[in-house]
Amino acid sequence: MKFRFTAAAVAAALIGASVPSFAAEISISASSTGKNLDLFRKQLDAFEKATGNTVKIVTMPPSSTEQFSQYRLWLAAGNTDVDVYQTDVIWAPQLADQFVDLKDATKDVVGDFFPAIVGSQTVNGRLVAMPLYTDAPALFYRKDLLEKYGKQPPKTWDEMEATAKEIQEKERAAGQKDMWGYVFQGNAYEGLTCDALEWVKSSGGGQIIETDGTISINNERAAAALNRAKGWIGTISPSGVLAYQEEESRGVWQTGNAVFMRNWPYAYALGNGADSPVKGKFDVTTLPVAAEGDKPSSTLGGWNLAVSKYSKNPDAAIELVKFLTSKESQKQRAIELSNLPTLSALYDDKDIAAAQPFMPNWKPIFENAVPRPSAVAKVKYNEVSAKFWTAVHNTLSGNGTAEENLELLEADLTTLQGSGW
Ligand code: GLC
């Protein structure tokens, strides 16, 4: 049976279909990655129809880092133009004071959400954002090309590298001049922190700062993991990868010019879109590990919705957050954008499994995903991450060795920790 989403009906049911006497004008600030804003607009139209409120979208660039800098400025200035913010999972401790506590307003529904995700958005007992979708990356691989050359999806980074190299060379020799082995996120921003944390953690090199506060990053395994990644630049990965964020990697991949890609689940639905050259030609698996037996490591990502403390219409804003994070809205988001729901019941949903067959398998992967050290570094997390991605980017660019850059990083993080976090 074909799944049909009657958004207006859902909104009406959720909100009680009573158009309030004073309709509010509110706005939501959100990322322009993939088709995120198109789906939001569709759902906002339904919300408007059901409530009589109007909702404007404030369009943000895809980079989490750029969004964070802008939001921090707006919130520090008490900006009243944005009522609802789409927030990255790592921001809660840093922006908590600027957001409304959603605990009371969501007490009837919050129990349906994954407790760990709700926990990540709870700061000093205040629920500062409602989970919209969760995220755990995949290794995307071209099924057709692996079959053509008799290869299995790789389990280790070495296997990935060897398969990428061989297929890249053979495809180029056969006339596919633009073929690359592997694309990922190498730009100096939050995305590189995610990629590099995976290289390090899957090599037994820890998670930058451990949960007890120990700064662990300056170790041989971490250095070896970064040196391995440096070896990819200009060989299996284009040098331009040093400027790639998610969308640039997806661009190369989706035009059919990469054997492997590291990316988040949103790239699955887009890659299978009607006009996509790789439609039906790829699958996803867990990211590789350093050695057989090591645990696959995905960085935990995800996005939430928060209500600004400076909103002039907090009630309408809260209704909107509840509507956009509802079961029906998340189901539509999973089916159309292949974003991972934050409601556990949706992992047994047949319509979702039919539209996005990888999704039921992804539940244990995000449940075991590695968190970035945002809970431990608290308000200093952005500085910690910026120092880490800079050390990694320098290493990948040949600006100092991994060993040198990690030693400097350790010293910097120690100073930062000394000043309190
Ligand atoms: C994804 C993740 C987010 C992360 C970002 C980095 O959007 O969901 O948590 O910070 O990628 O680029």
Side-chain angles (χ1 to χ4, degrees):
M1 201 186 76
K2 197 160 175 286
F3 169 74
R4 267 172 210 265
F5 180 84
T6 49
V10 168
L14 197 79
I15 289 147
S18 55
V19 177
S21 39
F22 300 105
E25 276 179 30
I26 53 177
S27 68
I28 176 171
S29 187
S31 162
S32 53
T33 300
K35 294 193 171 163
N36 188 47
L37 296 181
D38 296 344
L39 179 75
F40 265 139
R41 190 64 263 166
K42 229 195 269 188
Q43 297 185 334
L44 295 174
D45 289 348
F47 179 81
E48 289 182 343
K49 209 163 162 194
T51 62
N53 296 323
T54 49
V55 192
K56 206 178 74 193
I57 294 180
V58 179
T59 300
M60 295 303 288
S63 162
S64 167
T65 301
E66 286 178 43
Q67 291 170 41
F68 182 73
S69 314
Q70 183 62 67
Y71 291 170
R72 201 151 57 168
L73 290 176
W74 282 346
L75 289 164
N79 185 323
T80 55
D81 295 340
V82 178
D83 301 282
V84 176
Y85 287 90
Q86 183 185 352
T87 61
D88 200 335
V89 65
I90 48 177
W91 300 344
Q94 298 165 93
L95 300 178
D97 294 347
Q98 320 274 9
F99 293 143
V100 168
D101 181 6
L102 299 171
K103 208 166 189 166
D104 274 352
T106 61
K107 60 178 184 300
D108 51 332
V109 290
V110 78
D112 300 335
F113 288 70
F114 287 101
I117 307 178
V118 173
S120 74
Q121 301 308 303
T122 304
V123 180
N124 299 329
R126 297 171 69 242
L127 179 59
V128 299
M130 274 301 270
L132 176 67
Y133 68 92
T134 185
D135 238 354
L139 181 72
F140 288 70
Y141 64 92
R142 286 282 299 276
K143 268 189 314 200
D144 59 334
L145 294 179
L146 262 58
E147 262 163 38
K148 181 170 169 190
Y149 295 102
K151 303 288 177 198
Q152 292 301 312
K155 294 238 179 318
T156 65
W157 291 112
D158 286 346
E159 276 170 34
M160 188 282 287
E161 196 177 314
T163 303
K165 193 160 184 286
E166 185 181 329
I167 299 183
Q168 174 184 306
E169 279 168 7
K170 291 186 170 159
E171 283 294 293
R172 285 189 187 181
Q176 301 298 321
K177 295 274 177 265
D178 296 327
M179 184 60 78
W180 286 100
Y182 187 47
V183 288
F184 60 94
Q185 295 74 46
N187 187 24
Y189 78 123
E190 186 61 29
L192 181 55
T193 289
C194 298
D195 285 49
L197 173 59
E198 288 152 6
W199 306 333
V200 168
K201 178 77 179 176
S202 67
S203 306
Q207 47 198 72
I208 311 169
I209 304 172
E210 304 306 307
T211 44
D212 66 359
T214 308
I215 297 165
S216 63
I217 189 61
N218 184 19
N219 69 77
E220 277 174 23
R221 287 170 179 229
L226 299 192
N227 284 327
R228 185 196 298 115
K230 175 171 180 7
W232 299 334
I233 313 295
T235 58
I236 58 168
S237 308
S239 315
V241 81
L242 292 173
Y244 284 8
Q245 299 187 357
E246 284 79 2
E247 288 291 75
E248 288 79 19
S249 334
R250 186 172 69 83
V252 174
W253 161 261
Q254 206 168 303
T255 46
N257 290 328
V259 183
F260 297 112
M261 169 177 73
R262 182 266 182 216
N263 216 328
W264 306 91
Y266 86 100
Y268 190 91
L270 290 161
N272 278 323
D275 53 354
S276 166
V278 298
K279 179 176 160 56
K281 293 184 181 168
F282 69 92
D283 211 338
V284 293
T285 185
T286 46
L287 292 171
V289 293
E292 206 88 51
D294 281 341
K295 257 185 66 188
S297 305
S298 310
T299 298
L300 180 64
W303 291 84
N304 310 276
L305 294 175
V307 173
S308 166
K309 212 172 79 178
Y310 311 104
S311 168
K312 292 193 180 129
N313 291 294
D315 293 341
I318 291 170
E319 279 315 313
L320 178 61
V321 167
K322 289 181 78 172
F323 172 68
L324 293 172
T325 56
S326 70
K327 194 170 161 199
E328 293 74 15
S329 297
Q330 287 204 37
K331 177 167 175 169
Q332 185 184 28
R333 180 170 274 279
I335 289 175
E336 295 187 18
L337 301 190
S338 60
N339 285 162
L340 301 170
T342 54
L343 293 159
S344 61
L346 290 178
Y347 288 83
D348 301 320
D349 186 287
K350 287 204 286 301
D351 301 318
I352 293 179
Q356 312 297 355
F358 79 95
M359 213 173 262
N361 304 334
W362 233 249
K363 189 171 159 208
I365 296 174
F366 82 78
E367 285 182 316
N368 292 306
V370 194
R372 282 161 275 175
S374 51
V376 49
K378 300 196 182 73
V379 293
K380 297 274 182 69
Y381 172 72
N382 193 52
E383 274 178 86
V384 167
S385 184
K387 288 183 188 305
F388 178 60
W389 81 56
T390 303
V392 176
H393 197 266
N394 281 340
T395 306
L396 298 182
S397 321
N399 189 0
T401 64
E403 289 75 5
E404 288 162 357
N405 288 323
L406 292 184
E407 195 178 329
L408 286 172
L409 174 64
E410 180 186 46
D412 270 4
L413 293 181
T414 307
T415 309
L416 201 60
Q417 187 180 38
S419 64
W421 56 34

